[in-house]
Amino acid sequence: MNDEQLLRYSRHILLPEIGVEGQERLLAASALVIGAGGLGSPAAMYLAAAGVGTIVLADGDAVDLTNLQRQILHTTQSIGKPKAESGREALGKINPEVRVAPVQSRLEGEELDRLVAQASVVLDCSDNFATRHAVNRACVRHRRPLVSGAAVRFDGQVSVFDLRDDLSPCYHCLFPENAELEETRCAVMGVFAPLTGIIGTVQAAEALKLLAGAGETLNGRLLILDALAMQWRTVRLARDPACAVCARVTA
Ligand SMILES: [Zn+2]
């Protein structure tokens, strides 16, 4: 690290759990952030501010006036611009040292697979089950740690699926694809603005801990927030040995 980096990251370096070594791990790491909306905005901002070396920011949408109530990566001036590009500009202002690679598409298929394989950590900040399951499958395939968040109305949840660990559950263990889960979209149901900030920020915290090797992550736990009562609950998650996505042959 040069003198400017030592200053920029000094408050992290002061933390014994991170230190110079942990900060160097962050600088060498690559994070894939899927979705540059309510969750992806604060998540990507903290990753950039904290000096994660490469941030791949994927979103196929353009900034809309209805986004600005919570998607703090974007401004009134960026209405109409692709969110990935608007996000790249905003992150560059926070920390010009970080390499931000905007991907202007809804990730799927080979592109998703390739980007997951290249990432040190994957943050699912998307808003639909199809993407969540596709991201989970790619993370299981390439054994990448997945930090998953969701926020709608006043309800939020966040978890880590550390798929480098054979004993870790995957997203599908928790929410099987064939389950009749109702898709609750912000566009229909509404969402409390700072809820997306709280959940997206927890995602950033978990991703930074995974990258720096600090503390204990939410792996195997689902953290649930009722923002109306401001009450958190933790649910223990177990791997489904019959899971169609992650069940591996164990001796
Ligand atoms: Zn599974």
Side-chain angles (χ1 to χ4, degrees), residues 186-247:
C186 296
V188 189
M189 313 300 296
V191 59
F192 186 47
L195 173 70
T196 60
I198 296 168
I199 300 296
T201 302
V202 174
Q203 288 184 269
E206 293 300 292
L208 291 173
K209 282 161 58 191
L210 280 162
L211 295 174
E216 197 185 325
T217 70
L218 279 173
N219 192 35
R221 289 181 289 155
L222 176 69
L223 195 56
I224 300 169
L225 172 62
D226 171 356
L228 211 46
M230 205 47 86
Q231 276 181 336
W232 294 88
R233 278 194 304 135
T234 303
V235 177
R236 287 248 156 223
L237 304 178
R239 200 182 135 229
D240 174 4
C243 173
V245 174
C246 74

Side-chain angles (χ1 to χ4, degrees), residues 54-76:
T54 302
I55 297 173
V56 179
L57 186 62
D59 200 304
D61 290 339
V63 179
D64 182 83
L65 180 58
T66 59
N67 300 149
L68 299 181
Q69 163 251 21
R70 65 201 175 283
Q71 302 186 11
I72 57 174
L73 202 47
H74 314 296
T75 63
T76 308

Side-chain angles (χ1 to χ4, degrees), residues 39 124 126-136 148-150 171:
L39 301 172
D124 185 351
S126 71
D127 62 353
N128 65 89
F129 284 123
T131 300
R132 288 175 194 285
H133 281 294
V135 170
N136 177 61
S148 180
Y171 182 80

Side-chain angles (χ1 to χ4, degrees), residues 12-23 25 209 212-215:
H12 258 174
I13 293 168
L14 281 168
L15 297 171
E17 292 81 357
I18 296 181
V20 170
E21 234 178 82
Q23 187 60 47
R25 278 191 214 121
K209 282 161 58 191

Side-chain angles (χ1 to χ4, degrees), residues 25 28-34 47 52 54-57 99 107 111-124 135 138-139 142-147 162 164 207 210-211:
R25 278 191 214 121
S30 167
L32 171 60
V33 180
I34 298 168
L47 297 182
V52 172
T54 302
I55 297 173
V56 179
L57 186 62
R99 185 181 156 263
L107 280 188
E111 192 181 27
L112 170 63
D113 216 55
R114 182 175 53 83
L115 292 174
V116 165
Q118 289 169 356
S120 326
V121 66
V122 177
L123 287 83
D124 185 351
V135 170
C139 287
H142 297 288
R143 308 193 72 145
R144 289 297 182 272
L146 168 61
V147 184
D162 193 344
R164 298 170 299 182
L210 280 162
L211 295 174

